[in-house]
Amino acid sequence: EEVKIGIILGFTGPLESITPGMAAGAELAMKEVTDSGKFMDGSSVVPVRADSTCVDAAAATAAAERLVTSDGIKAIMGSDCSGVTGAILQNVARPNGIAMISPSATSPGLSTAEDDGLFFRTAPSDARQGVVMTDILMDKDIKTVAVTYTNNDYGKGLADSFQAAFEAAGGTVTISAAHEDNKADYSAEVGALAAAGGDVLVVAGYTDKGGKGIIQASLDSGAFDTFVLPDGMVGQQLVDDIGDGLTGSFGQYPGTDSEGAEIFQGMATAAGFEGTGAFAPESYDAAALIMLAMAAAGSTDSKDWAPKVMDLANAPGEPILPGELGKALDLIAQGVEIDYIGATAVELIGPGESAGNYREIEIKDGVIETVRFR
Amino acid sequence: MIVVDGLHKHFGGFHAVDGASLSIAERSITGLIGPNGAGKTTLFNVIAGRLKPTSGRVSMAGEDITGLTPHELFHKGLLRTFQIAHEFGSMSCLENLMTVPGAQLGETLWNAWFRRGAVAAEEARLRDKAQEVLKFLTIDHLADQKASQISGGQKKLLELGRTMMVDAKIVFLDEVGAGVNRTLLNTIGDAIIRLNEERGYTFCVIEHDMDFIGRLCNPVICMAEGKVLAEGTVEDVKNDERVIEAYLGTGLKNKVKAEVAHA
Amino acid sequence: MNGRNFMLFALVGLLFAVTGFLQSWNLSLSILQMALVSAIMALGVNIQWGYAGLFNVGVMGFAALGGLAVVLTASAPEPEAWRAGGPGILLALVLGAVTVTAAVQVYKRMAPGLARMVLLLGVLIGGFFLFRAVLDPNVAAVEAINPSVSGNLGGLGLPVVLAWPAGGLLAAAAAWVIGKTALGLRSDYLAIATLGIAEIVIAVMKNEDWLARGVKNVIGLPRPVPYEVNLQRDPGFLDWAQGWGFDPVTASSVLVKLSYCGLFLVVLLAIVWLSEMALRSPWGRMMRAIRDNEVAAEAMGKDVTRRHLQIFILGSAVIGIAGAMMTTLDGQLTPGTYQPLRFTFLIWVMVIVGGSGNNWGAVLGGFLIWWLWVMVEPLGLALIAGITSGMAEGSWLKSHLQDASAHMRLLTMGVILLLVLRFSPRGLIPEK
Amino acid sequence: MAEPFLIGDAMTGGYGGADILHGCTIAVEKGEIAVIVGPNGAGKSTAMKAVFGMLNLRAGQVRLAGVDITALSPQDRVAQGMAFVPQTANIFTSMTVEENLEMGAFLRRDDISGTMAQVYDLFPILKEKRRQPAGELSGGQRQQVAVGRALMTRPQVLMLDEPTAGVSPIVMDELFDRIIEVARTGISILMVEQNARQALEIADKGYVLVQGANRFTDTGKALMADPEVRRSFLGG
Amino acid sequence: MDLLNALVAFLNFVVVPATAYGAQLALGALGVTLIYGILRFSNFAHGDTMALGTTAAILMTWGLQAAGISFGPLPTALLALPFAIAVTALVVLGTDRVVYRFYRKRKVSPSILVIVSLGVMFVMNGVTRFIIGVQDQSFADGERFLVTARGFRDATGLAEGLAIRTTQVVTVVVAVIAVALLFWFLNRTRTGKSMRAYSDNEDLALLSGINPERVVAVTWIITAALATTAGVLYGLDKSFNPFTYFQLLLPIFASAIVGGLGNPLGAIVGGFVIAFSEVTVTYAWKKVLTYILPDSLAPTELVQLMSTDYKFAVSFAILILVLLFMPTGLFKGKSV
Ligand SMILES: Nc1ncnc2c1ncn2[C@@H]1O[C@H](COP(=O)(O)OP(=O)(O)OP(=O)(O)O)[C@@H](O)[C@H]1O
Ligand SMILES: Nc1ncnc2c1ncn2[C@@H]1O[C@H](COP(=O)(O)OP(=O)(O)OP(=O)(O)O)[C@@H](O)[C@H]1O
Ligand SMILES: [Mg+2]
Ligand SMILES: [Mg+2]
C-alpha cells in the first residue's frame, strides 16, 4: 500500500534556492521509512511535491487543495513561508481535517492561530531565539549592536524579539533596519547601518539572499567585520562564499548536543545534498514525525495521528536519532515509548512548536564550529 | 468674430508666428494663404487652444479666449480640421461622425446605464444626421468602413464632415482641399458657401489652391514668416508684388512655354 | 456572443469540469473561486487599457489596497491602541495632506522663480518634519500595545462583505490622487509611474505596522460564509449530507466553495453588465475616440483629462473590489505576498490573451490563465516525469532534470502563453 | 507597340478584403511622365502600392524593362532602381532633414553630396532646416522633404503619390519644372495628382482611374481637352 | 571637526557604491532602451537575458578555471565574456526568429509584444534555472579590490576607510565606453542610421531599401552584448542568482524611463539618478555630522530623512517627480 505525504514548499519564488534542500531532507526520511519495510505493514511512503511559491496564497491554497482532494495525501510537510502556511492551514488543512507540520514557518502569530490541533512546527518560534542571542552577546560583553532583518514575518519577528530582550538586558540597538531579499543593491542599508555604528552587526536574514548581500557589502566597505548569525544565516555555503571575512563571526541555530545534526549531515552528503542548508534538518524531522505518528496511531487519518505527535517528540522514551527511523518503527510496534530527537533535537511545546534548544557557533578558518549549547 | 492681437509663438529660438495681428469678421469666409512654413497652421493651433502662445491675445466675440483648452473652445462653437487628417482609426466612418456632437446624453455613465431609452432615441437622431453628412460627401458607401482603411482624400472629407455634425459658430479649415479631387472640391466649396449663407457660420480657410480661394474667400490674408504680409480682396492680394514673389510665383505655364520657345 | 466565443467559454468550462472529474471537485471549485476574482481584476485592467489605452501596471497596489480595506473594515477594533495613538495618527495624516495641498497651491498660484522655489521647499520640508513629529510618537505608542498579536489600530468590526465596496472606494481614492498627478504621462511612462506607486503602496503596507501589522501579517479575518469545521459539527448539515449520501468533509468544503463562487459570480456579472452597457453606449464610443486620437478628441470637445481620470478611477475601483474579495477568500492579509509578477503581470497576461478591449475576452482570459497558472505545475512535473522515464536511473541528466522540474511551471506558462498568442495574436476574443 | 519601361499589367487585388483594383493597367515609358488622376478612393494610391510591391496581387503582373518583378519585395525593387513617395507617412519624423535625405540614398555607395546640393537648390527651405527633426516641419515642408528623399535615390523610375498636396504655388511650379527636367535625363516618372490640370499639362500620358479600373487613357493634352473628363474629374 | 574623515565616509558609503550601482543599472538600461527605441516595445525578458548570458559566462569561466587559465588581476569571467556574448546573441536571434518575427510581420500593437516578451521571460527564466539551478553562484576571481578599506586607513592614517573594487571600476569604464560607442554607432554610421529610420517608420525604411531583418538582427546582437556584459559585471560585483536578475528588471526599467526611453544617454543618466536616489535619500548623516560638528553638537539620532525601508519608495517617488516635470524623461525619450 502507498501512503502519500505532501511536500508543499516554495520551489519557485523568493525562497527557491533553499527549498530543494528542504524537500530532499523530507524525502530522505520518507525513503528511510519505506526502505525499512516496517511502516504500516510494509506500506511505502510516497512524497508528492507541490509549489507553494512562498508568496502567492491563492496558488499555494490551490496546490494544497489538489494534493489533498485529488492526490489523496494524508499529511502535509510544509509549508515554508508563514503567510502561505497560514492560508493553507485555514483554507485546506482545517476544512479537510489534514494535519501539517511546517519545518520553517517561525512567525509567532501562528502560535495563536486556530488549528483544531492540526498544526505543528519543528522550527522554534522566533521569540526564543532573541533571548538566546542576547545571552551570547552579553557573555561576550558586547553592548551595542546594529540589526538588519529580512523584511518578512520571520525577520521582523526575530529582530523585534531580539531587540526587546537585548535592551532589557541593558544593551543598545543603534538601528534596526529592514532589507528586502533578492534586491540588486544594499549600499543604502549598509550606509545607514555603518552610520549608526555598533560593535557587531546582527543579520536576521537568509544565507543566500539579502543577508549575504549585506554581509558582503559591509565587509567590502569596512563597515563591520563581525556578524551575528541567527538560524537563517548559518550555512556552509555562506562561509564558502564570503571566505575569510567571516572568521570571528558567531551565531546560533536550533540544535542540542545530540549527535543528530552530524548524523543527518552525513546522511545528506551520502544522498547528495547539503545537510546544513537552512531548514533541511527541520524538514527531515517534520517528515519523520508525521510517519512515526502514523505508525503509533496505526492510522493515516490525521484525526488519529495528529494527537500522537507531541508524545513522540518529547521525553520520556527511547531517544531516536536520524537514520534510526526503522528502529523507532520497531519500538513503536513493540509498544515502547520513544522520544524523537532527530536532526534538530526536536522538543515540542505549547501549541505544538519546537521548544528551541540552540547551538552556539563560531566561524573559524572557513568552518562552522560549535562552541556550546544553550 | 475673432481678433488676434500681436501673437507670438516661438519654438526654441525659432519664431513660427512672429507678432501676427488679424481679425476675422463675423459671417465672413476668410482665406489664409502663405508660403510653406509661414506659420498658418501654427496660428490655427494657437487660436484653437492646441498650443499655448508665447505672447499675445486671441479673443472671440469680444471674450478673451487665450489659453483655453480645445474642448472648451469646441463648446464655445469653435471647430477646426487638421491639415494631416486626425481620424479615429479603429472606428467606422459613421461612428467617427456620431462621436462629434458635444454633451451627448449617453456620454454620462448614469444615463448609459439607467436611461437607455432616451439615449437610444438620441443615437437614432445622430445616426441619421451622420448618414446625411456622409452622403453629402459622397462617401456614404464607407459608413461602416474603419476610418484607418480609407483613402487619403476620403480622410480629408471625413475631417470636413465632422464640422457639419454640429452647429458651429466658426470653423477653421486647414487645407481641406489638399488631396481632394477638384470636382468634389467644387461641391465642398458650394457647401461652405451654403453653410455660411444659410446657417451663418464664419469660416477661416487655409488653402494653396488659388482658384478655390478666389471662388470662396473675401477677404484674403497672406502670411509670411510669421507675420501678416498682405490683406484684402482676392484680386488685391493676387496682384500684390510681395505676395507674388513670396508665394504665387510667376506661374508654370510661362516657364514651360519659354523653354519650349527656346528649344 | 457569437458561436466561436461560446465555444471558447465552453472549452474553458470543460477544463474545469475535467479537473473536477479527474482530480476533485474541491480542487476545481477552489481554482474557480480565484478564477472569478482574477476575472474581475482583469476586467478592471481591461476597462483602463482596452477602453482608454491607459497602461496601468500598478494592479498590485490597488489589489493590496482592497486587501487593506478588509482589515480596516472587518477586523476587530483595538480600542486600547486607538486610545493610545489613533487621534494623533489621524492628525498627522491630515497635516500631511495639508502640506501637500499647500505645496500644490504655492506651485500653481505663484509665478515661477526663486521665491516660489524657496517657499515650496519651505512648505514641503517644514510640513514633512511636522508630520513626522506628530506621527512618530503616536505610531510608537500604538505599536507598543500587544505587538506580537496586534500592535495596530484594528478595524471597524463590520461584516466582511462591506469590505468589498470599501476596497473599491479605497482604491478609487488612491486612483484619484495618482490620476491627478500622473495621468498626464503617456503609455510606458505612465506604466512605470503606476508600477512605482504600487511598490510604494506595498512598502507602506509592509512597514507601517500600526496600519495592518506590516509584514507580521493579519490572520484570521472573518468570512462571509460558514466555516467548514462548524458545518462538520452542525447536526443539521450532517443529516443533510447523510441524506444525499455525501461525505460530510467533502460536502462541507464543496458547499463553502460554492457559496464563495456564488458571491463572486454575482459581483462579476454585475460588473460585466455595467461595463458592457457603458462600452456600447456613446460613452464607450467617446472613450474609443479618445484612445484612437487624443488630439482630435480634444478638438471635438471631449475633455480628455477628465475622462482619463474617470476611467482610471473606475478601473482601479474594480481592481480594489477584487483585491478585497481575494483577501477575504485567503482569510489573511500578507503584504509580503504582493509581487508584481503575480498581481500585475499575470493579470495583464489574462487581459491580452483574452483579448483587450473586450469584456468577455478579459473574463475568459481570467478563467483560462488562472486555471493554467495552477495546473501547469502538475502538468510540468508530469512532463518531466515523462521525459525522464526513459533515462537510466541515477543518471546525471535525470537527477538534474528532476531537481529543476519545479521550474517547469514558469517555462510551461511561457510556452502556453506564446502558443496562445501565436494562434490568436489579438487575443482569444478580439475587440470587434 | 513595344513593351513600356515599367508596366503594372491588368492588376487585380486589394488589402485582404474585397478587391480594390480590377484589372487596372498603368505604364510609363523611359524618360516620360505618366499621370494618374481620378476621384478620391478610386484606387490610385492602391495601384501605386501594387506597382511597388506593397500589396499582394491576385492577378496581373508588374514588369520593369521587360522583366517580371511581381514577386520582388519593395526593398528589392529599390535596388532595381525604383523610388516611391507615398501619399502619407512619407518622412522619418524623428530624424533630421539631412538624415532623411541620406536615408533616401541608403543604397547608393557613391558620393551623395552633389545630389544633396541639387535637392537643396530645388527646395531652399530644406537647407535652412537641415538640422531640424523633420517632424517639426510644416505640412508643405514635409512634402518637400519626401520628394527630396526620393530624388536622392537617383532612380530609374520615380513614383510620386500626390507630391504637390499642401505645397504652395511657387514651390509647386518649381517642382513640376524639376520633374520635367528629371524626366529629360531619361528617368521615368509615374505620379498621382489631384492638381490634375497642371499635371496633365506636362504629362506624356494620362490615366483616369475610377473604382479600380481604367476609365480613360490618353495623352495628357487629349485628356485635358475631353470635356467629360474635365467635368467629372478635373473640376470643370 | 574632521572634514577629511567626513568626506571619506561619504565617499565610501554613498558615492562609490552608488556610482558602481548606477553604472550597473545603466548598462542594463541601455539594452532595454535600445530594444524600445528600435523595435518599439518594452522587453520584459531583458533581466532574464542577462541571467542567461551570465550563465553562459559562468560555465565558460568554470571551464577556463579548470583549465588553469586566468586573466591576471582581472576576473577570468572577462575572458569568457566574448564567448558568452556569442551564445546569448544566438539565443536571442533564435528567439526573434521563432517568436518575435511572427508578430512583427503582422504589425501587432506594442502591448502585445510586451506580453509576448513576458512569455519569453518565463521561458528563459525556466531555461536558466534548468541549466544552472537556483542557487547563488560566485564566480569572481582575480584581485577583488583596487583599494581596500583597511589598506586605505593604514596608508592615510584616517579613521575612515575607502574601498574601491576592481569590478566597480571596470563597470563604470565599460558603461561609459558602451554609451559612447552606441551613440557614435546610432548617429554616425549607416547601419545605425538605418536602425533609427526603421524605428521611425518601418514602411518608409523599406522604401529606402533598408533591409528590416538586418536591422532587427543587429539590434538583437547589440542587445545581447549589452545584456551579457551587464549581467557578468553585476554578477562579479555582487553574485549571480537568477531570481535577483529577474528583480533587477524593475530598477533597470526605472532607469531607462527616467532618462527617456529610446535614448542611450538617458539610460546612463537614468541609472545614476536611480542609484543615487536610492542611496542618498535614506542615508543616515549621523557619522558624517559627527565628524563635521563640534562634539557638543554631535547628533545622537540617525539624522535620516527616511528609513531605508522606503528606499525603493523614495527612488520611485523621485522618478515620478521627474516625469511630472519632464513627461518623457530627462532626455526626451519616445513614446509609442
Ligand atoms: N514643433 C515645432 N518645433 C519647431 N519648429 C516648428 C514646430 N512646428 C512648426 N515649426 C516651424 O514653424 C514654421 C511654421 O509652421 P506651420 O506649420 O505653421 O506652417 P504653415 O504655414 O502651416 O505651412 P504649410 O503651408 O506648409 O502647411 C515652420 O517653419 C516649421 O518648421
Ligand atoms: N488599408 C486599407 N485597408 C482596406 N481598404 C483600404 C485601405 N486603404 C484604402 N482602402 C480602400 O481602398 C479604396 C482605394 O483607396 P486608395 O487609397 O487607393 O484611393 P485613392 O484613389 O488613392 O484616393 P485619394 O485620391 O483619396 O488618395 C478606398 O475605397 C479605400 O476605402
Ligand atoms: Mg500648414
Ligand atoms: Mg491616394
Side-chain angles (χ1 to χ4, degrees), chain B residues 167-223:
Chain B
D167 285 325
K169 290 208 186 78
I170 175 156
V171 179
F172 287 85
L173 301 176
D174 196 349
E175 301 199 23
V176 269
V180 172
N181 181 272
R182 288 298 176 266
T183 310
L184 183 54
L185 189 57
N186 288 340
T187 330
I188 292 174
D190 294 343
I192 291 174
I193 292 171
R194 228 174 57 216
L195 285 170
N196 174 253
E197 287 174 352
E198 292 171 12
R199 297 218 230 149
Y201 280 30
T202 307
F203 281 95
C204 180
V205 185
I206 298 181
E207 196 41 84
H208 288 301
D209 185 326
M210 287 309 287
D211 294 347
F212 185 71
I213 290 281
R215 202 161 75 84
L216 255 65
C217 302
N218 190 21
V220 173
I221 300 171
C222 180
M223 283 182 72

Side-chain angles (χ1 to χ4, degrees), chain D residues 69-236:
Chain D
I69 57 166
T70 320
L72 285 192
S73 70
Q75 79 255 35
D76 289 337
R77 294 183 205 216
V78 177
Q80 299 285 320
M82 294 171 69
F84 181 34
V85 180
Q87 184 174 8
T88 50
N90 47 20
I91 55 168
F92 297 111
T93 48
S94 70
M95 302 177 86
T96 64
V97 169
E98 189 164 79
E99 284 171 335
N100 264 279
L101 297 183
E102 282 174 19
M103 280 302 116
F106 185 74
L107 288 183
R108 281 174 59 186
R109 296 284 166 172
D110 53 338
D111 184 19
I112 58 171
S113 53
T115 328
M116 182 119 37
Q118 284 172 352
V119 171
Y120 285 148
D121 237 17
L122 176 62
F123 305 122
I125 185 75
L126 298 190
K127 184 160 191 180
E128 230 169 83
K129 304 226 164 220
R130 67 178 185 278
R131 303 244 177 269
Q132 199 167 347
E136 291 176 0
L137 298 187
S138 79
Q141 292 165 344
R142 285 161 172 247
Q143 202 62 30
Q144 299 173 23
V145 174
V147 176
R149 191 194 60 83
L151 290 176
M152 289 298 293
T153 316
R154 283 263 206 84
Q156 287 181 293
V157 192
L158 182 55
M159 296 170 56
L160 307 167
D161 196 347
E162 306 207 20
T164 64
V167 166
S168 72
I170 190 166
V171 179
M172 179 160 74
D173 292 346
E174 284 284 336
L175 192 61
F176 279 136
D177 276 354
R178 185 55 195 257
I179 286 172
I180 299 171
E181 254 174 58
V182 166
R184 290 215 180 114
T185 63
I187 295 175
S188 313
I189 309 253
L190 181 60
M191 66 178 172
V192 175
E193 258 307 334
Q194 291 292 6
N195 284 317
R197 271 175 291 165
Q198 285 100 317
L200 286 177
E201 193 100 36
I202 62 167
D204 296 293
K205 195 168 204 182
Y207 294 91
V208 179
L209 279 196
V210 178
Q211 295 192 348
N214 298 68
R215 174 71 63 88
F216 299 96
T217 309
D218 212 326
T219 64
K221 296 263 157 28
L223 284 179
M224 288 277 281
D226 184 330
E228 158 142 32
V229 171
R230 280 187 81 94
R231 198 181 56 250
S232 318
F233 306 107
L234 309 183

Side-chain angles (χ1 to χ4, degrees), chain C residues 14-25:
Chain C
L14 196 68
L15 288 179
F16 282 88
V18 166
T19 314
F21 279 116
L22 292 186
Q23 303 207 281
S24 77
W25 285 103

Side-chain angles (χ1 to χ4, degrees), chain C residues 204-247:
Chain C
V204 170
M205 283 178 59
K206 271 182 161 178
N207 296 310
E208 298 306 316
D209 292 6
W210 55 270
L211 195 57
R213 284 177 50 75
V215 291
K216 292 184 292 182
N217 307 336
V218 177
I219 57 177
L221 289 169
R223 273 185 178 189
V225 298
Y227 285 87
E228 292 89 343
V229 275
N230 293 347
L231 282 179
Q232 287 160 22
R233 286 193 210 114
D234 177 5
F237 174 79
L238 289 179
D239 282 350
W240 175 84
Q242 208 127 54
W244 288 90
F246 294 144
D247 166 41

